[in-house]
Amino acid sequence: MNIVDELKWRGAINQTNDEDGLRELTTEKAISLYCGIDPTGDSMHIGHLIPFMILKRFQLAGHKPVIVIGGATGSIGDPSGKKAERTLQSMEQVQHNQEALKTQLVRLFGEDQFRLVNNYDWLSKLSLLDFLRDYGKLFNVKTMLNKEIVASRLEVGISFTEFTYQILQSIDFLTLYREQDVQLQIGGGDQWGNITAGLDLIRRVEGADAKVFALTIPLLLKSDGTKFGKSEGGNIWLDADKTTPYEFYQFWLNQDDNDVVKFLKYFTFLSEEEITALEEQVKAEPWKRAAQKRLAEEVTQFVHGDAALAQAQKITAALFSGDVKALSADEIEQGFKAFPSVTTTADKQNIVDFLTESGIEKSRRQAREDVSNGAITINGDKQDDLEAEVDPQAMFDGKFVIVRRGKKKYFLARVQ
């Protein structure tokens, strides 16, 4: 299947300037294509993952991905989709962000499997006069104002700095076309104006017959109409220090039946046959959540690797069964991040004293009742003896005590 047809089946094409021409070109030869990311933060989130999944699909189909880190454009800000100007970052912060993003991109695309370039390398060499003479004269202000990316900001205002962003991005495309034979730029749907401005610039400078293409990805919505990409706690980051692999795995595992097949098409490299089979399982046996499990496995492995996936699955199984003894202190830190947290001393205590003084139980009477009824589990062991002692240093490197009250109510007691 041609890559364009595969993307259409996956519902991953929003707009192209010439679908038939792109299909013909990608059938004839392996092309170079690019996607950009501005270093406005030190980690990508899963919203960024959407266009990079498309870039990865081209890579797996034998094409040559180029990724542009926007060291220059990231320092001034992209007006796309925002109601206010970006806060300008220091060049030191931009440099830090660039290095962090490079590490994540290498993990996704493989060492030496793609070209990583920085638009600061060419844009920083432009003088103001060169910019105005060589490029500014080729852009019509009326056309720029009509681009949705700019028009959406006119009522609240837009600085000249952000207004020029589409010119700078167009120079990126022209530079890559000239120097690395890049013929296709991909991006989110909100980037259509910027990308087509690049097409126009290349054709003005290199000739109307230049074979260059644009492809954007649809805005990804959930079945309830809300934008995909965030949890109740905010962004789902690709940085394991910001969103742990366990949290990342759980995000995908908890997707709705109405969304899971769409996300399998977008975020996994499973074949049409495999996804169709999972779709049938969703219809026939939704309680097994086979599609969600496969989605969580595939995306977590892609972003974090085999070891992190195995760890996320181990934590998930332990929390479901209540058998937490095999977890390490690091796994406890990951798995119990969202559960209620209390503090306790390192000293041994009677179980009733421990439960009440840590705040897990509101009263000694309730604590005695729950223990006597067998409702309290300490570090995976059920406790029904009112004279039992809790030793906070007995497990998990002396850092934590895991308490379960009833079947599902967990507490993480941090030892101080």
Side-chain angles (χ1 to χ4, degrees), residues 264 270 273-282 290-291 294:
L264 282 166
L270 299 179
E273 292 74 20
E274 289 174 300
I275 293 175
T276 300
L278 288 166
E279 184 175 15
E280 291 303 316
Q281 283 189 273
V282 171
R294 191 65 186 277

Side-chain angles (χ1 to χ4, degrees), residues 359-387:
I360 294 172
E361 296 281 18
K362 294 181 179 180
S363 67
R364 293 179 63 82
R365 182 194 63 77
Q366 187 64 55
R368 286 193 295 269
E369 182 178 324
D370 285 345
V371 172
S372 298
N373 291 336
I376 298 296
T377 300
I378 303 292
N379 292 339
D381 291 326
K382 183 176 288 189
Q383 303 291 334
D384 56 10
D385 181 1
L386 293 174
E387 302 303 318

Side-chain angles (χ1 to χ4, degrees), residues 3-18:
I3 183 63
V4 175
D5 294 318
E6 181 186 351
L7 294 179
K8 287 192 71 175
W9 172 76
R10 291 181 182 274
I13 296 179
N14 181 44
Q15 290 175 288
T16 61
N17 63 309
D18 181 1

Side-chain angles (χ1 to χ4, degrees), residues 18 43 157 176 225 303 338 376:
D18 181 1
S43 174
L176 294 173
V303 172
I376 298 296

Side-chain angles (χ1 to χ4, degrees), residues 252-271:
W252 298 102
L253 191 62
N254 290 318
Q255 294 304 317
D256 191 273
D257 287 345
N258 295 318
D259 294 319
V260 67
V261 174
K262 179 195 297 185
F263 295 162
L264 282 166
K265 291 179 178 180
Y266 262 82
F267 294 104
T268 77
F269 302 102
L270 299 179
S271 68

Side-chain angles (χ1 to χ4, degrees), residues 43-53 104 108 220 222 227-231 234-239 243 247-249 251-252 255 263 266-267 299-300 302-304:
S43 174
M44 293 187 286
H45 52 70
I46 56 175
H48 294 117
L49 192 58
I50 298 172
F52 284 112
M53 293 296 293
Q104 293 182 351
L108 296 181
L220 191 56
K222 296 189 289 187
K227 187 177 179 180
F228 167 82
K230 293 186 177 181
S231 69
N235 283 322
I236 303 298
W237 300 98
L238 305 196
D239 184 338
T243 299
E247 292 173 304
F248 190 83
Y249 178 84
F251 171 80
W252 298 102
Q255 294 304 317
F263 295 162
Y266 262 82
F267 294 104
V299 188
T300 305
F302 176 61
V303 172
H304 292 293

Side-chain angles (χ1 to χ4, degrees), residues 167-185:
I167 301 180
L168 297 180
Q169 187 168 325
S170 299
I171 296 172
D172 289 348
F173 200 170
L174 174 62
T175 301
L176 294 173
Y177 175 78
R178 284 173 165 172
E179 298 181 1
Q180 304 200 35
D181 194 30
V182 169
Q183 294 179 270
L184 168 65
Q185 182 182 356

